Amino acid sequence: FRSPVGNGYLIRFLADSQGCIFWYLYLTNDGTDHAVVSTPGFYGTKEEEWQEEKPDPREIVFSAESFEAFLCRFWLENEIWFAEYENSPMPDVGAEYIEKYGAKG
């Protein structure tokens, strides 16, 4: 799908369980670079549209500098959540991640 901002394309690859946030791989027009962005807006083909209201391109936000970085962080944050929820050990890097990024919140 042609991105409404920038000069590239959006490829949807993930949605939260309620369809509130969608994550897209943003590919530059020439395919030489990419990033991950997210938005509550659903971008897709005409056949996929399920909302009457058009998405707002101003709601597209940067999520990660690469697909790999996004997947690593997504995995780690889920592991931390499950460790807390199940009262089980988290991955060794979990405490370091919380210390490094938790103080910024």
Side-chain angles (χ1 to χ4, degrees):
F1 184 84
R2 194 83 165 133
S3 178
V5 294
N7 188 20
Y9 298 89
L10 296 176
I11 301 171
R12 188 179 56 257
F13 68 90
L14 181 64
D16 74 342
S17 62
Q18 289 82 32
C20 296
I21 299 291
F22 301 94
W23 285 267
Y24 298 85
L25 186 63
Y26 173 83
L27 295 175
T28 57
N29 194 39
D30 62 5
T32 60
D33 202 5
H34 73 281
V36 173
V37 297
S38 61
T39 178
F42 182 86
Y43 293 94
T45 65
K46 190 80 165 155
E47 294 78 23
E48 294 176 300
E49 288 180 6
W50 52 276
Q51 295 175 313
E52 290 183 25
E53 187 176 312
K54 295 287 185 196
D56 185 349
R58 296 173 297 177
E59 294 180 322
I60 297 174
V61 296
F62 176 84
S63 293
E65 65 275 3
S66 71
F67 186 67
E68 296 84 359
F70 174 83
L71 285 182
C72 181
R73 191 179 78 230
F74 190 80
W75 168 81
L76 183 55
E77 289 175 1
N78 277 280
E79 288 293 313
I80 292 168
W81 186 90
F82 277 107
E84 175 68 24
Y85 181 77
E86 295 173 348
N87 196 27
S88 60
M90 74 172 87
D92 293 339
V93 297
E96 181 182 340
Y97 179 84
I98 291 170
E99 184 179 317
K100 183 174 182 178
Y101 294 103
K104 293 182 179 184

